[in-house]
Amino acid sequence: MRTDLDSTATATASASASANPTQIDPFVRVRGARENNLQNVDVAIPRDAIVAFTGVSGSGKSSLAFGTIFAEAQRRFFESVAPYARRLIQQGHTPKVEEISGLPPAVALQQRRGTPSSRSSVGTLTTLSNSVRMMYSRAGTYPAGAAHLAAEAFSPNTATGACPVCHGLGVAHTVSEQTLVPDTSLSIRDGAIAAWPGAWQGKNLRDITVELGYDIDSPWRDLPQKARDWLLFTEEQPTVQVTPQRDRVAKPYSGRFWSAKSYVMHTLADSKSQPMRDRALAYMTSGPCPSCDGSGLRPEALAITVAGLSIADLNALPLTELAATLRPVAHATTGTRPTPRDHSSAGTEAPSDNNAEIAATISRDLLQRVEVLLELGLGYLSLNRATVTLSPGEMQRLRIATQLRSGLFGVIYVLDEPSAGLHPADAEPLLAVLEQLKASGNSVYVVEHNMDIVRRADWLVDVGPRAGEGGGHILYSGPVAGLADVADSITRPFLFDETATGAAGGAGGVATSATAAAATAATAAAPPTAGVRAAAGDSSRALRSPEHWLRLSGIRHHNLRDLDAGVPLGILTAVTGVSGSGKSTLVSQVLADVVGRHVHTPASEASGEADTTATSTTTATTTAGDDDLALDLDPALAPALDPTDERVTVRSVTGIDTVDRLVRVDQKPIGRTPRSNLATYTGLFDAVRKVFAATDEARSRGFGAGRFSFNVAGGRCETCQGEGFIAVEMVFLPGTYGPCPTCHGSRYNADTLEVTYRGKSVADVLGLTVEAAATFLADVPAAARSLETLREVGLGYLRLGQPATELSGGEAQRIKLATELQRARRGHTLYLLDEPTTGLHPADVRLLLTQLNRLVDAGNTVVVVEHNMDVVAAADWVIDLGPSGGDEGGMIVAAGTPHQVATHATSKTAPYLARRLTPA
Amino acid sequence: MRTDLDSTATATASASASANPTQIDPFVRVRGARENNLQNVDVAIPRDAIVAFTGVSGSGKSSLAFGTIFAEAQRRFFESVAPYARRLIQQGHTPKVEEISGLPPAVALQQRRGTPSSRSSVGTLTTLSNSVRMMYSRAGTYPAGAAHLAAEAFSPNTATGACPVCHGLGVAHTVSEQTLVPDTSLSIRDGAIAAWPGAWQGKNLRDITVELGYDIDSPWRDLPQKARDWLLFTEEQPTVQVTPQRDRVAKPYSGRFWSAKSYVMHTLADSKSQPMRDRALAYMTSGPCPSCDGSGLRPEALAITVAGLSIADLNALPLTELAATLRPVAHATTGTRPTPRDHSSAGTEAPSDNNAEIAATISRDLLQRVEVLLELGLGYLSLNRATVTLSPGEMQRLRIATQLRSGLFGVIYVLDEPSAGLHPADAEPLLAVLEQLKASGNSVYVVEHNMDIVRRADWLVDVGPRAGEGGGHILYSGPVAGLADVADSITRPFLFDETATGAAGGAGGVATSATAAAATAATAAAPPTAGVRAAAGDSSRALRSPEHWLRLSGIRHHNLRDLDAGVPLGILTAVTGVSGSGKSTLVSQVLADVVGRHVHTPASEASGEADTTATSTTTATTTAGDDDLALDLDPALAPALDPTDERVTVRSVTGIDTVDRLVRVDQKPIGRTPRSNLATYTGLFDAVRKVFAATDEARSRGFGAGRFSFNVAGGRCETCQGEGFIAVEMVFLPGTYGPCPTCHGSRYNADTLEVTYRGKSVADVLGLTVEAAATFLADVPAAARSLETLREVGLGYLRLGQPATELSGGEAQRIKLATELQRARRGHTLYLLDEPTTGLHPADVRLLLTQLNRLVDAGNTVVVVEHNMDVVAAADWVIDLGPSGGDEGGMIVAAGTPHQVATHATSKTAPYLARRLTPA
Ligand SMILES: Nc1ncnc2c1ncn2[C@@H]1O[C@H](COP(=O)(O)OP(=O)(O)O)[C@@H](O)[C@H]1O
Ligand SMILES: Nc1ncnc2c1ncn2[C@@H]1O[C@H](COP(=O)(O)OP(=O)(O)O)[C@@H](O)[C@H]1O
Ligand SMILES: Nc1ncnc2c1ncn2[C@@H]1O[C@H](COP(=O)(O)OP(=O)(O)O)[C@@H](O)[C@H]1O
Ligand SMILES: Nc1ncnc2c1ncn2[C@@H]1O[C@H](COP(=O)(O)OP(=O)(O)O)[C@@H](O)[C@H]1O
Ligand SMILES: [Zn+2]
Ligand SMILES: [Zn+2]
Ligand SMILES: [Zn+2]
Ligand SMILES: [Zn+2]
C-alpha cells in the first residue's frame, strides 16, 4: 500500500497546476450597494488581507462591512446549507446590493454584552472550561476510594454536576440578622423584628414572646446573642397559653411561635398572596450557596484536585495566575502525545494513560490558549467570571482569541472596533492576533477608529465624506498609504498625524484640515472657545481648577483594596489605565453607587432595580415626556445584576454635598422597538404633536395631541398598528417584512394625514432630518432647543422618525448627551461616561469634547473613563489607575494635570499621553 | 472624489503582494481520522479542485468525505457563528479526527428525497418561482381595471395568495358517484348507496326514500341520472311521515332525508367517533381543487398573464417548453437593466419602468437558469412538480444547479454520487456544472462510482481496499493517472478499463484483477456459472428465453400515452432510457400497481396505505419475525402519496396469472431507530434468541427467548432501556450522547449477560461480524441460512448488531436483497428494482448481478431500471424508453437482447451499450 503522504508530496505540483488553471480574482467585488445610506456604491476589497473600514460615525462603514458584506455572506451560506434554519439564526435580512462576487462565508465578531439570561462565563465562552473539566476528570488527584468522575460532573450546568442545594446556580437566597432587623436600636415591642407580620398577627407573636420569657422592651442590640439567634432563626415552634395583656375583650388563647426566618420561609413557600411574598422577599439576601461556596458544583467534584486546587479554586484564579499554576504541570513530563480531542465513545475504550502525562498534554494546550488571552490584556479575568459582567470590548477580545482555535479557513471575519476598551499599550498584541487569523487563511475586515490599528492594515476602505445622507460614498479603497492623496477624506489627517503636527504648531493648523471637515460634517457651529479647548494637545490652554473635591477613602470593591481617591468637582477628569486596572469599578460602580445613594434621584431617572442592591448604580440616562416611551421598557436594558458580586464598601466620603444630581451617559440602545425613535426619545415629538393639535384643521376636527401619536389607536394606521410595515406571512415559509399596504409606511391613517402644518403632515415631519427640522420648527421653542443640541453633537443628518433599532451605539450615546444638553443648565450635576469615544471617528471625538466642555463650563462635573489620548489630553485632570490589571492593579499610579501624568515615570499611560502632547 | 474602481485597479498588484506574503498551503490536511471504519488515516486533499472519492461500498468514502470533512467543517462554522444554533441544524456530530487544517466551510448536497411534509416544488427548491412571481407582479398583463398585485399574491403559500377554497393546497376532498356507489348493479334496497349508514339508520333512509317516491328495487344503474344525482348530492333535507313497512312493532315517525354527500360531510364535520369518520373518509376522493384547478391560487392572480399564460399554466409547462415560452419574451427589447433583486421597501418607491423591459430582464435571468436544468437532463420537469415525487438523483441535480446561483465562494461542496439516475448521455453536462462550481472559487468533492466522472476529476482519493473492517485505509490520494500504480486498488481496473478489455478477451482476464479483488472483498464464493454470467459483455454467454410474457396494452400514466409493453417473465430485464423517459413510471408505478393489485399480497408485506389509492404500489420489501420490528413503523418510510397525481390506467393485461408474488427491493432505510439492526431486520435474531433460551443456564433461570430482546423490559438494561447509550443532559446547553454507564453499551442487564452460549453472551454475539457469526452459528440452520446470504451479497463485514441508522442506502438495499434470497426459493415472483447500482462500486455491481441471476435461475422474474451499462449488458432483455424525457419520451424505442438494442439506430442508450459489449 502506498502511503498518502508520499503521493501527496510527489503530486502537489501537478495538482495545484491542474486544480487551479486560472488565477482566481483575489477581490470581493461589491456592486450597487444601497443598504441604509450607501449611495449605490461599487467597491473591490481584497481577501486574505486585513482591511480597515474608516469614516466618521454614521458614514456607512457598518452598513458596508456588516449590513452588506457580512449579511449577504450569511444569507448565502444559510440559504445553501439550511434554508429553514436561517430565521433561527438572528439575521434574516437580505441586504440591498446588486451583486457581490468572490464572497466567502463570514463570521461577525461584534461588540455585544453577554446576554443577562445566559449562564456563560469566560471559561465556557472560550471553551477553556471543557479542557479544564477533562483535566480534572482524567488527571485529577482523587481522594482515596473516590469513584472516577466523568468530565460533565465538573460542570454546574449538567444534571450530574450541579450542586444539589442551589441546582448549580451557586447562589442561595437566605435571611440574616441585618435583613430581619434593620434597626437594632428598636425594641421588639417597637417593631425591631421587621420581618414579622404587622397588625394583630405581629401583636400575637410579641405576646407569645413575652410568655416565652423574652424581654421585648430593651433595644434589640442589648439582647443576648443567644436570644437574638433563637428569636430569629429557630425552627422550634413552641405553643404557649397567652393571656392578652392590654386588650380587655380578648380571651386567653393558645399561640404558636414562629421565628422570623420560619415566618419568611413559610410565606415564600406557601402564601398565595403576591404582596405577602414580595414583602417576605425583601427580608432575604442572596449570596454564595453555602454548600458549594458559589461554585455550583457537587462536593464530590470539589474534592478532586489538580496542582492542589479544586476546580472551583482554579476557575477563580485570574488568568495570569492560572497560567503560572499550569506551567509546572505542563512541563512535568514529556512523552507521546495522547489526543485530548477524542472524548472516546461507546465501543472504544480509552487506552489507560499515565495521569501526569495526560495532565501535561491538556495543560500545554490550555496554557497556549490562556497565553493568547494574557497577550490581549485579559489576564485579570478568571474562568468563572460571568460574561454578563464583562464590557463589550472584553467580550469581543475573548471571542477573537477563541477564534484562533476555531480552525476556520477561508472565511471573512468582520470585527467591530476590536480596539474598543483597549489601552494603547495593548494594541500591538491585538494586531498580532489579527495577523494570526489572516495567516490561518482568512480575511479580517475591521471597522476601526484607532489610527494605530488602521495604519497597520493591508488595505483601507474609507467611507464618507460625512454622516447619513452626507456620506455613503467610498472615498478610497486601496493600500493605506494611498489615502494621503484623497483630499475629501476626514480620516486622512488623523491617519497621517497631520493633526498632531498641527496641534504642536497650534490649533489653527488643525482647523484647516480635519476640524474644518468635521465641522462641515456636523454642520455644528461650535463656539470659538470650545473649539480651542477641544483641540487636544494645545499646551497653552488654561486648565480649569476644581471648585471642590469629592474624596472617598477606604474604597473596597473588586481590585480596589482600601483605595483613597479624590475626584475634582466642576472640571473635566479622565480616568485612565490598562484594561482591568479598575477604571469601571471606580467610576461606574463605586462613584455611581456612592453618589447615587446620596442624591435623591427622581423616580423617572432611576431604573427599577437600582435601589434594591448595593452593587447597582443609578442609571440616570434621560427622560422623555412622550407617552411613546412607555412602550420601551425592556428588562434587557436594565443593568445586569450579579447576585454573587460583592458589595461596594467605602469607609468615608467627604465633599459630596455639592453634588445634587447624577447622570450616566452610555452606549446602550435608546430602545429596542422601532416604535421608539429620535423624536420620541428626546421628547421633541411632544412639541411636534402639540403644534399639530393647535392647527385650525385639527381643532375643527377635534383632534388633540394624542391623535398624532402612532403608538395609540386614534390617529395611527390600524392595518400596521402604527408600525409602518407588516409581516408578509408565508404559510409554510419564513416570513418577511414589507411596507404597510394601507399607509405605505407613513404609520398614520388618512384623516390624520390630512391635517398639515405649513404644508407638511405629521408623517412628513417625522421624515425630516434634524437639520431640516431645525429650520422648519425654528419658531417652536420646545422643538428648536432639542434640534439645536442634536445638531451640536453632530446628529444633523438623522431623520426625526429614525427608529431606535436603526441607531448605532455611538449615535445612541450622542442622543443621550444631546438630551442632557437641552435641559436647563443647572450646575452641580456629576456626569459619568464610560469610554464615550467607542465608535467615534477622531473627527467626532472633537465634537464630543466640545460638548463635554460645555457641560463643565455650565458648572457641572464630568468624569470619563477613556483610552483615547485625544480626550485624555484635553481633560483638566487625569487619574491613572494601575499599574496593571486585576490584583496587580487597583491603585492610583498617577493623578494630576495631563502634563503631570504624561511625565510620570512608571505610568503605562504616560508615554502615550506624552506623545499626544508633544510635537512628533 | 476618487473612484474606488480606479484605485482598485492601480492597487491590485501591491495588495495581493502585501496581503498574501506567504503562499497558503493549497491542501486540506486530515490527520488521525477514525470516524466509523477509518483506520486512523492521514490524507491531504487539494482545495479549488474536483476531487473524486472512490472505493467499494462500505470502504469508508462517505465516512471520510461526509462523516469527517463535511461534518467537521459544519461543526467549526456553526460553533463560530452560532454555537446554540448547531443542534437546530441536523448534525450535531463531532467527528473522530485529530486534526484538519486548511478546511473551509462546507455545503453537502446529498441524495435525499423531498420530505413528504414539505410543500416545496421544483420552482421553490430552485427559487425560480420567486422570479416568476416577480415577473407576473411587475410585468404581467392585467385585466382592465384589475389592481396591481404584489409578488406574494402569486404564491399559494402566502396568506394573500392562497386559494380561499383549498387554502393553497390545490387539493379538494370530494365525493363522486363512483365512491358513493361502488357497485351499480345493486338496488338501493340491497345497499347500492354504500356511503349511507348501516343498521336501522340505513333502513330509515331507505324508508324515507320510498316515501319520497323513489324506486329502491331496480339496479342503481337503471335509475334516471336526475334521481341518482338528487339522492347522492342534494343539500335539501325534506322531512316526511314514514310508516314502517315491514316492522309491525314500530310506529309511524317523522323522518329527515340526507343525501349520501350530506351524510358523509356531516359525519366528517361533526362526528366525534373516529371509526365513523374513517368510514366516511373512505367514500371521498381527493382531486384538484375545482376553484383553482389545483394551482392553489386565488382567481385574481390566475387572471394575470405573461405570454398569454396564467402563472398556473406557466408553472405546469415542462422546463423545455418554459424555456421556449420565455425566449421571445427575453429578447423582446434590450434596454438598461433594472435590478430585479431589489424588492424595494418602505420609503423608497420603485421607479416606474416599462413592462416589457422588466419582463425581458427577468426572463433573461430565468432562461439562463432554466437552461442549466435542461443541460442536466431535467427538461421534462415542471416548476409545479412537488419535490416529494422526485427521485433522489433528480433532487440532487436540482440542488446542484441551484448552487450555481448561490454566489458561494471558497466553500467545499461535498456531493454524493451526482451521477445517480443520470443516463450516460447526460454525464458531460453534469461535469460542466461541477467545473463551473469550481471556477466560481469552490472545491468540489464527489463520492462517485461512475468511472466516466471519476476519470475527469482533478484528484482522486481511493479508499479501501475492502469494506468495513477490511477497508478504511487511504490507498491513494493524487492525480487520477497515478492510481495505475496502486496494485491493491479495486478501483484501478475499472478506472483504466482493464475490465472492458478483459471482457473482450473473455471473463478469465477479468478474474485476475477486479473480480478476484471483488471476490476477496466480499469473501463470497460465487458459484462458477454465476461468475461467468456476471461478467458483463461476455458475448458467448447463453441468453435465457422468456417462459411467458406479461403484456400490458393501453398504458396511460404520466408521459406513457397509450403505450403497449411486453415484459418477459422468468428472465432478467433491464429498462433503460434517459432521465424522464418513463422508466420509473413503467416499472415502479404501472407494473407495481398492476401486479400488486393482482397478487394477494400478505398483510405483512403491504404498507398501510397501499390499498387505498390507485397510485400507490405494493411495497413488499421484506418481513422479519422479530418483535423488535414493530418499533420500526415510521410513516416517513411509506411511499409518498401525491393526491394530485393522476391514476394509473391500463386497457388490458394478459399473462399476469403466472406471477404470484411481487417484491420491490429499494434503497430506503431498513429502519430509523438504532433499535432496528441487521439481525432484527433479517429475522436472524429470532434464531439467536432461541439458541440462548435453549441453554441450560437460561432454562434453570426460567429465561425465555423474550428475555434476550433489548427492546422489551426483562433482559435489557433499564438505565438506557436497551439503547446502549444515554443522553448526557446539559441543563442549559445542547445535549450529547454517551455510552450507558450501567451496561457500558451492551444493552443488557447483568443477569442476562451471565447466560452464555459457547462462551459468548447475547451482546457478544451482536458484536460479531456476519463473517464470524457464520462460523459461530454454523450449526444453527435458521441463522446459518441468513448469514450465508448476507455474505453472498458482500456484507460479511457488517456486525450483527449494527444499527439501521448506521447503514448506507446501498447496504440497506443489499440487506433487503439478502433477506429475499434467504427465503424458500419458490419461483414466479416478480422482483422490481429501481437503480440498484446506486452507491455501488463497479466491483460490487458484479456481486449484485450474481445474486439477481440466482433469483432468475430459481424461476423468478427480475426487472431492473438501470443506467449502469454493466448491468444492462448482463441482462437477457432490454426495454429502452425514449426517445427523450417528458412529453418527448414515453415510447419504447427499442426492445430486444442487449446486442439487438446496442445496434439500434436512434436509441440514445445504444452507443453506450455497444461500447460496453465491444472491445475498446
Ligand atoms: N437599520 C438601519 N436602518 C436605517 N438606517 C440605518 C440603519 N442602521 C444605520 N442606519 C443609518 O445609516 C447611516 C450609516 O450608519 P452606519 O453604517 O451604522 O455608520 P457607521 O458604521 O459608519 O457609524 C447612518 O445615517 C445611520 O443612522
Ligand atoms: N462584576 C465583576 N465581578 C467580579 N470581578 C469584577 C467584576 N467587574 C470587574 N471585576 C474585576 O475588577 C477588576 C477591575 O476591573 P474593571 O473595573 O472592569 O477594570 P477596567 O474598567 O479598568 O478595565 C478586574 O480584576 C476585574 O476582573
Ligand atoms: N453511523 C455509523 N456508525 C457506525 N458505522 C457506520 C456508520 N455509517 C457507516 N458505518 C460503517 O462504516 C463503514 C464505512 O461506511 P461508509 O463510509 O458509508 O462507506 P462508503 O461510503 O464507502 O460506502 C461501513 O462498514 C459502514 O457500515
Ligand atoms: N409523481 C409525478 N407527478 C407528475 N409527473 C410525474 C410524476 N412522476 C413522473 N412524472 C413524469 O413522468 C415522466 C416520466 O418520468 P419518470 O418515470 O420518473 O422517468 P424516468 O424514471 O425514466 O426518469 C416525466 O415527464 C416526469 O416528469
Ligand atoms: Zn450550591
Ligand atoms: Zn399602515
Ligand atoms: Zn383551490
Ligand atoms: Zn444500559
Side-chain angles (χ1 to χ4, degrees), chain A residues 262-522:
Chain A
S262 303
Y263 175 74
V264 168
M265 293 304 189
H266 171 76
T267 306
L268 280 178
D270 295 334
S271 172
K272 294 209 173 44
S273 148
Q274 194 56 45
M276 292 266 291
R277 297 168 52 82
D278 287 345
R279 182 176 179 277
L281 262 181
Y283 296 107
M284 307 203 69
T285 45
S286 25
C289 163
S291 164
C292 63
D293 210 14
S295 71
L297 290 169
R298 295 190 165 271
E300 297 89 313
L302 293 171
I304 323 296
T305 60
V306 165
L309 299 172
S310 75
I311 191 168
D313 296 338
L314 193 91
N315 283 339
L317 294 180
L319 295 176
T320 34
E321 285 178 41
L322 176 64
T325 307
L326 290 174
R327 261 176 219 118
V329 184
H331 303 303
T333 45
T334 38
T336 55
R337 293 184 133 234
T339 56
R341 175 71 182 288
D342 173 23
H343 316 175
S344 202
S345 63
T348 49
E349 268 300 294
S352 101
D353 283 297
N354 176 300
N355 268 12
E357 224 168 76
I358 300 179
T361 309
I362 304 180
S363 296
R364 271 195 299 271
D365 175 68
L366 274 168
L367 201 54
Q368 252 183 14
R369 296 160 66 188
V370 168
E371 274 161 359
V372 174
L373 299 174
L374 302 188
E375 277 170 20
L376 287 180
L378 298 169
Y380 56 91
L381 298 178
S382 55
L383 292 181
N384 68 2
R385 177 77 172 274
T387 54
V388 68
T389 67
L390 299 175
S391 71
E394 285 168 334
M395 276 292 276
Q396 193 188 32
R397 275 177 283 145
L398 283 177
R399 285 213 195 88
I400 295 172
T402 305
Q403 284 303 317
L404 287 181
R405 301 277 304 191
S406 72
L408 286 187
F409 177 96
V411 305
I412 302 182
Y413 282 105
V414 190
L415 286 78
D416 185 9
E417 221 185 345
S419 72
L422 210 61
H423 190 271
D426 292 328
E428 207 51 48
L430 174 68
L431 275 162
V433 169
L434 300 183
E435 287 288 353
Q436 244 181 293
L437 285 175
K438 173 180 129 186
S440 320
N442 303 294
S443 311
V444 180
Y445 289 7
V446 292
V447 170
E448 188 53 85
H449 293 296
N450 181 329
M451 293 300 144
D452 292 335
I453 306 271
V454 173
R455 233 168 258 132
R456 300 278 298 277
D458 299 314
W459 191 270
L460 186 151
V461 177
D462 194 45
V463 185
R466 295 180 298 279
E469 289 168 19
H473 294 278
I474 306 297
L475 296 176
Y476 177 70
S477 174
V480 178
L483 189 72
D485 303 333
V486 183
D488 276 357
S489 168
I490 297 180
T491 307
R492 181 182 47 70
F494 297 94
L495 186 67
F496 300 107
D497 255 353
E498 295 169 22
T499 63
T501 322
V510 177
T512 55
S513 58
T515 313
T520 320

Side-chain angles (χ1 to χ4, degrees), chain B residues 223-245:
Chain B
L223 302 183
Q225 186 63 47
K226 214 178 141 208
R228 279 147 54 185
D229 282 351
W230 194 88
L231 289 167
L232 296 182
F233 303 117
T234 188
E235 309 219 317
E236 292 168 33
Q237 299 203 313
T239 309
V240 292
Q241 199 65 16
V242 181
T243 313
Q245 306 272 303

Side-chain angles (χ1 to χ4, degrees), chain B residues 35-38 54-64 93 447 449 463 467-469 797-799 802-803 805-808 811 814 839:
Chain B
E35 189 68 17
N36 298 332
N37 72 333
L38 296 179
T54 55
V56 299
S57 183
S59 62
K61 302 177 297 299
S62 311
S63 299
L64 179 60
H93 129 142
V447 169
H449 293 297
V463 186
E469 289 167 19
Y797 64 89
L798 288 180
R799 282 175 293 107
Q802 193 134 339
T805 46
E806 297 180 0
L807 298 165
S808 69
E811 284 172 341
R814 282 182 288 161

Side-chain angles (χ1 to χ4, degrees), chain B residues 746-870:
Chain B
S746 78
R747 301 169 157 235
Y748 291 94
N749 60 31
D751 284 358
T752 310
L753 294 175
E754 275 168 18
V755 179
T756 57
Y757 172 72
R758 295 184 184 165
K760 292 195 189 301
S761 70
V762 62
D764 294 337
V765 173
L766 284 172
L768 293 176
T769 61
V770 166
E771 196 67 39
T775 311
F776 185 75
L777 298 170
D779 53 1
V780 181
R785 202 168 52 240
S786 274
L787 292 165
E788 182 55 28
T789 50
L790 287 166
R791 289 177 61 202
E792 284 169 5
V793 297
L795 295 174
Y797 64 89
L798 288 180
R799 282 175 293 107
L800 299 198
Q802 193 134 339
T805 46
E806 297 180 0
L807 298 165
S808 69
E811 284 172 341
Q813 192 177 37
R814 282 182 288 161
I815 289 172
K816 291 176 189 175
L817 190 64
T819 311
E820 255 322 296
L821 289 166
Q822 86 187 44
R823 293 178 173 239
R825 307 270 160 81
R826 44 186 185 113
H828 309 302
T829 294
L830 172 62
Y831 290 93
L832 302 181
L833 296 91
D834 201 343
E835 268 205 272
T837 63
T838 306
L840 289 194
H841 189 272
D844 297 317
V845 171
R846 300 277 162 102
L847 294 171
L848 175 75
L849 274 171
T850 305
Q851 301 307 326
L852 297 182
N853 279 316
R854 273 178 62 192
L855 290 173
V856 177
D857 290 340
N860 302 295
T861 302
V862 174
V863 178
V864 283
V865 169
E866 257 309 339
H867 289 299
N868 182 309
M869 292 300 139
D870 286 349

Side-chain angles (χ1 to χ4, degrees), chain A residues 569-810:
Chain A
L569 298 179
I571 68 172
L572 173 59
T573 298
V575 178
T576 57
V578 297
S579 196
S581 58
K583 302 181 297 298
S584 304
T585 301
L586 178 62
V587 176
S588 304
Q589 303 209 21
V590 177
L591 268 182
D593 183 46
V594 167
V595 179
R597 283 160 180 270
H598 164 75
V599 299
H600 285 31
T601 312
S604 67
E605 294 188 342
S607 83
E609 291 93 326
D611 288 332
T612 58
T613 87
T615 53
S616 79
T617 55
T618 313
T619 335
T621 46
T622 46
T623 56
D626 194 70
D627 58 338
D628 298 352
L629 199 67
L631 292 162
D632 230 40
L633 293 173
D634 181 338
L637 297 179
L641 303 175
D642 179 356
T644 61
D645 199 10
E646 37 169 331
R647 287 158 168 260
V648 171
T649 65
V650 177
R651 197 173 335 104
S652 72
V653 179
T654 63
I656 200 167
D657 293 334
T658 53
V659 180
D660 56 16
R661 194 160 151 269
L662 171 73
V663 175
R664 294 178 60 184
V665 180
D666 57 28
Q667 299 221 347
K668 293 198 190 117
I670 62 168
R672 299 231 170 176
T673 84
R675 291 189 175 280
S676 179
N677 62 34
L678 176 58
T680 61
Y681 185 84
T682 56
L684 103 88
F685 198 42
D686 280 348
V688 170
R689 297 189 306 166
K690 278 183 200 134
V691 165
F692 276 89
T695 58
D696 292 343
E697 183 66 32
R699 283 203 239 183
S700 75
R701 297 189 183 211
F703 291 174
R707 174 86 194 189
F708 298 93
S709 164
F710 52 78
N711 280 326
V712 292
R716 73 175 178 193
C717 165
E718 282 304 320
T719 303
C720 61
Q721 304 209 303
E723 300 217 319
F725 54 83
I726 56 161
V728 177
E729 206 203 321
M730 309 287 261
V731 182
F732 288 90
L733 299 169
T736 53
Y737 288 89
C740 170
T742 306
C743 67
H744 304 288
S746 78
R747 302 172 157 232
Y748 290 95
N749 61 32
D751 285 358
T752 311
L753 294 176
E754 275 165 19
V755 180
T756 58
Y757 172 73
R758 296 184 183 163
K760 293 196 188 300
S761 71
V762 62
D764 293 337
V765 172
L766 284 173
L768 294 176
T769 61
V770 166
E771 196 67 39
T775 311
F776 186 75
L777 299 170
D779 53 1
V780 181
R785 202 170 49 239
S786 274
L787 292 164
E788 184 54 27
T789 50
L790 286 166
R791 288 176 63 199
E792 284 167 5
V793 297
L795 294 174
Y797 64 90
L798 286 181
R799 282 176 292 108
L800 299 198
Q802 193 133 338
T805 47
E806 299 180 359
L807 298 165
S808 68

